[in-house]
Amino acid sequence: MKTVQELEAKLAQPSEALINDMANLEGDIMLLGIGGKMGPSLARLAMNAIKEAGVDKKVYGASRFSSGGLREELEGDGVKTFAVDLLDDEQLRGLPDVKNIIYMAGNKFGTTGNEHFTWAMNSYLPGRVAEKYRDSRIVVFSTGNVYPITPVHQGGATESTPPASVGEYGQSSLGRERVFTYFSHKYNIPMAIYRLNYAIDMRYGVLLEIAKSVKSGKPIDITMGHANVIWQGDANEIAIRCLNHCSTPPAVFNVTGPETLSLRWVANEFGSRLGVEPIFEGRESDTALLSNSSKASRTFGYPKVSVLQMIDWIAEWVEADGHTWNKPTHFQEREGKF
């Protein structure tokens, strides 16, 4: 992959499993918060799966669409879009009723100093959405940040690990889950809670940040020490397939790769590909923010794109000065301050 167009085409390739699931899914699909990092490629993947399945479904997307030509691009791909502020009750109520909702709206970065907005987006808005879409099934995007930092040797938090969110982003994200779960019980809404960390493509993500630091000779903070990652195409596919695994009370899935990755090892892999010796600062901790994705792997299969494949692709992308987004993950953050 040499261009953004080739990357987007790769992200939009559905697997046979997704095509089969799409054929068995009743109703259209609405992405709330489609304008984020994952929303556009997820929508295109859904559109292609619908075409390959030979079924008649629509894909809708709602977002503020405050900048750029994203809305026009999505419309050109066949997605029906709505420019709305989801926090405005009148605008939310005006959205069409759709059987399948993928809830991607939320706020993370910029939380510090703007905590009230983060709580409104992450914990208040879910209740309004659940009221609006009480007759739908809902996949709720969440985060591994609801978990505590755990010892590296334990293999990461599982879905049965009691949440212990560090910082207001993690706390408000847990609030999102709790509010949706309340309405799942109240109205018998089938739901799946999708706890993600960290999605990767060539334009953003943990691996890109490490690769860029290696290439530029910038010291890499390895205090966190370890992380999980998953190719965005695999993460998108699981999100759509979760629609066929919704239940009351909500099913919960940790969505990430199966490996506990050493950040030092990742940096050295990039160093060997880029011909640069990585520079490290800090010392690996015995604990890290890690999730165990065994349940998701049993349900959906292992990710199709391996860690080494991601590293190869990203090294080539960085060496060629490919287009990137200025959206750092802050994977180094241990105090939950975003």
Side-chain angles (χ1 to χ4, degrees):
M1 289 178 281
K2 303 294 184 184
T3 66
V4 170
Q5 290 74 22
E6 290 172 335
L7 169 59
E8 289 289 358
K10 182 69 174 178
L11 290 170
Q13 290 177 354
S15 69
E16 287 300 320
L18 175 58
I19 293 167
N20 291 335
D21 275 6
M22 190 65 78
N24 293 320
L25 183 68
E26 177 189 352
D28 298 330
I29 301 171
M30 166 75 85
L31 278 61
L32 297 177
I34 195 174
K37 290 181 290 189
M38 293 178 66
S41 60
L42 196 154
R44 295 180 183 111
L45 177 64
M47 290 292 300
N48 285 343
I50 289 167
K51 293 173 187 175
E52 292 290 331
V55 292
D56 183 18
K57 296 185 194 300
K58 296 181 177 64
V59 176
Y60 300 95
S63 175
R64 289 187 181 90
F65 293 113
S66 54
S67 61
L70 177 60
R71 187 179 187 186
E72 291 74 17
E73 291 176 16
L74 289 171
E75 289 278 351
D77 292 326
V79 179
K80 173 63 176 175
T81 63
F82 300 89
V84 296
D85 178 356
L86 294 173
L87 284 170
D88 184 307
D89 273 355
E90 184 176 349
Q91 293 183 44
L92 176 60
R93 287 195 301 268
L95 290 174
D97 294 328
V98 178
K99 186 63 177 177
N100 301 288
I101 304 298
I102 299 180
Y103 181 85
M104 310 179 75
N107 190 63
K108 180 177 183 179
F109 303 116
T111 291
T112 301
N114 198 29
E115 291 84 357
H116 61 283
F117 177 72
T118 293
W119 280 91
M121 285 296 299
N122 293 352
S123 299
Y124 166 76
L125 179 58
R128 310 309 306 146
V129 169
E131 288 278 7
K132 161 70 177 175
Y133 288 108
R134 67 178 70 177
D135 296 321
S136 304
R137 62 177 67 88
I138 306 175
V139 173
V140 178
F141 264 57
S142 187
T143 171
N145 286 95
V146 302
Y147 292 124
I149 287 175
T150 58
V152 173
H153 67 268
Q154 289 186 358
T158 70
E159 290 84 355
S160 62
T161 299
S165 311
V166 177
E168 298 212 32
Y169 165 66
Q171 292 164 7
S172 63
S173 296
L174 180 59
R176 173 200 294 134
E177 294 188 10
R178 298 303 194 219
V179 171
F180 268 119
T181 299
Y182 167 77
F183 284 100
S184 177
H185 283 278
K186 181 176 180 178
Y187 296 127
N188 200 35
I189 306 171
M191 293 185 184
I193 293 174
Y194 171 104
R195 292 175 176 165
L196 174 67
N197 63 301
Y198 287 98
I200 298 293
D201 82 20
M202 267 87 89
R203 295 164 295 188
Y204 80 100
V206 174
L207 299 186
L208 174 69
E209 292 170 40
I210 293 174
K212 289 174 66 177
S213 293
V214 170
K215 182 183 179 185
S216 65
K218 179 181 176 182
I220 301 161
D221 182 358
I222 55 170
T223 307
M224 182 64 84
H226 297 78
N228 310 119
V229 301
I230 184 169
W231 174 244
Q232 182 172 305
D234 287 315
N236 285 344
E237 180 156 312
I238 291 172
I240 300 169
R241 295 185 65 196
C242 274
L243 288 166
N244 281 325
H245 294 270
C246 293
S247 62
T248 305
V252 181
F253 295 99
N254 291 342
V255 180
T256 193
E259 301 91 352
T260 296
L261 291 180
S262 160
L263 301 181
R264 183 186 294 273
W265 174 82
V266 169
N268 283 325
E269 288 294 310
F270 280 120
S272 67
R273 287 160 175 76
L274 298 171
V276 180
E277 188 71 25
I279 301 170
F280 300 103
E281 63 181 14
R283 181 178 180 181
E284 289 96 337
S285 300
D286 295 330
T287 59
L289 182 67
L290 297 168
S291 294
N292 187 311
S293 61
S294 297
K295 179 182 177 182
S297 293
R298 180 185 64 190
T299 305
F300 304 107
Y302 280 88
K304 299 187 300 297
V305 177
S306 70
V307 170
L308 283 177
Q309 181 65 83
M310 286 185 267
I311 289 174
D312 285 343
W313 283 343
I314 290 169
E316 293 170 0
W317 194 266
V318 168
E319 203 160 34
D321 291 321
H323 175 69
T324 60
W325 294 331
N326 184 27
K327 296 182 178 181
T329 61
H330 298 278
F331 66 88
Q332 309 92 335
E333 178 57 48
R334 297 179 63 85
E335 303 299 325
K337 297 178 181 178
F338 297 102

